[in-house]
């Protein structure tokens, strides 16, 4: 493992995926997919071109969505 890879922090990862499509899972089990437009230190997330999935099924499409950070279980790049 290279030295640079071992020094990468979660903040580095999140800054690296700004403007890219992401998958966000909430504590409730609801999933969102969209373009990560911004986030803050509390993990509050703003998504564009957002799709909401419940039990794996597409339920809604939103232009923009704001997700409060305390509801986020994880974020993954697509």
């Amino acid at each position: 493992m290279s030295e640079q890879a071992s020094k990468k922090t979660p903040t580095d990862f999140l800054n690296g995926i700004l403007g890219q499509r992401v998958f966000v899972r909430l504590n409730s089990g609801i999933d969102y997919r969209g373009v990560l437009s911004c986030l803050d230190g509390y993990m509050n997330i703003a998504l564009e071109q957002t799709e909401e999935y419940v039990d794996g099924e597409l339920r809604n499409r939103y232009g923009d969505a704001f997700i409060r950070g305390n509801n986020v279980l994880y974020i993954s790049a697509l």
Side-chain angles (χ1 to χ4, degrees), residues 13-74:
F13 166 74
L14 292 169
N15 287 332
I17 62 171
L18 278 172
Q20 295 183 24
R21 289 197 52 80
V22 295
F23 175 88
V24 180
R25 163 107 1 124
L26 302 187
N27 295 325
S28 64
I30 296 174
D31 302 325
Y32 290 89
R33 293 181 184 176
V35 177
L36 182 63
S37 60
C38 66
L39 68 140
D40 65 13
Y42 295 101
M43 284 279 284
N44 295 319
I45 299 168
L47 295 176
E48 298 172 343
Q49 303 168 22
T50 310
E51 298 173 333
E52 178 183 55
Y53 291 84
V54 179
D55 297 326
E57 287 186 35
L58 178 62
R59 290 292 169 98
N60 287 303
R61 292 178 197 257
Y62 306 105
D64 296 324
F66 180 80
I67 301 171
R68 190 169 176 201
N70 67 335
N71 295 313
V72 175
L73 183 62
Y74 69 85

Side-chain angles (χ1 to χ4, degrees), residues 1-13:
M1 189 178 210
S2 72
E3 243 182 84
Q4 284 182 328
S6 64
K7 291 183 181 181
K8 192 169 187 178
T9 66
T11 302
D12 294 334
F13 166 74

